[in-house]
C-alpha cells in the first residue's frame, strides 16, 4: 500500500440503523457530535437509514410484485394486435 494516503484518525464509532434500532461498533473516521451508550461505554454515533439487518436483500423479506396484473394490463392494450 502507498504510504501517507490513508487517514490516521480511526476511532471506535457506533453505527445505528434508524429503521430498526440495531447498532454495531466499528472503526471509522466519520465526524459526528452525537454519542450513544453501547455495551457500557460511550461512543460517537452515526445514524444510518438502512443496514444489512434491515435491507430486504439480506433479510430475505421482499415486496411481492403483482406480475399477473401487469400481464393483464399488457394483454388488454396489445393483445388485439397479437391476434391478427
Amino acid at each position: 500500500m502507498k504510504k501517507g494516503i490513508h487517514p490516521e484518525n480511526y476511532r471506535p464509532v457506533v453505527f445505528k440503523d434508524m429503521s430498526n434500532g440495531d447498532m454495531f461498533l466499528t472503526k471509522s473516521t466519520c465526524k459526528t457530535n452525537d454519542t450513544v451508550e453501547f455495551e457500557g461505554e460511550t461512543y460517537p454515533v452515526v445514524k444510518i437509514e438502512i443496514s444489512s439487518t434491515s435491507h430486504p436483500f439480506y433479510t430475505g423479506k421482499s415486496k411481492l410484485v403483482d406480475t399477473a396484473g401487469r400481464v393483464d394490463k399488457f394483454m388488454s392494450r396489445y393483445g388485439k394486435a397479437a391476434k391478427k
Side-chain angles (χ1 to χ4, degrees):
M1 290 192 319
K2 290 185 178 181
K3 295 186 189 277
I5 64 169
H6 297 286
E8 297 292 329
N9 59 344
Y10 283 101
R11 66 187 194 288
V13 175
V14 172
F15 284 84
K16 182 175 182 179
D17 186 339
M18 298 308 290
S19 64
N20 61 8
D22 283 349
M23 296 187 288
F24 60 93
L25 179 67
T26 187
K27 288 188 173 183
S28 178
T29 60
C30 291
K31 293 180 172 83
T32 181
N33 294 327
D34 299 330
T35 59
V36 69
E37 181 92 11
F38 183 72
E39 296 179 352
E41 298 281 331
T42 302
Y43 296 103
V45 64
V46 175
K47 297 174 182 174
I48 55 177
E49 296 296 321
I50 195 162
S51 70
S52 62
T53 60
S54 62
H55 194 280
F57 179 80
Y58 294 104
T59 61
K61 298 176 185 174
S62 61
K63 295 180 182 177
L64 294 174
V65 177
D66 181 23
T67 56
R70 291 180 183 181
V71 170
D72 291 340
K73 189 174 181 180
F74 177 83
M75 291 305 285
S76 67
R77 277 191 190 166
Y78 304 107
K80 295 175 187 173
K83 291 180 182 178
K84 289 182 181 180

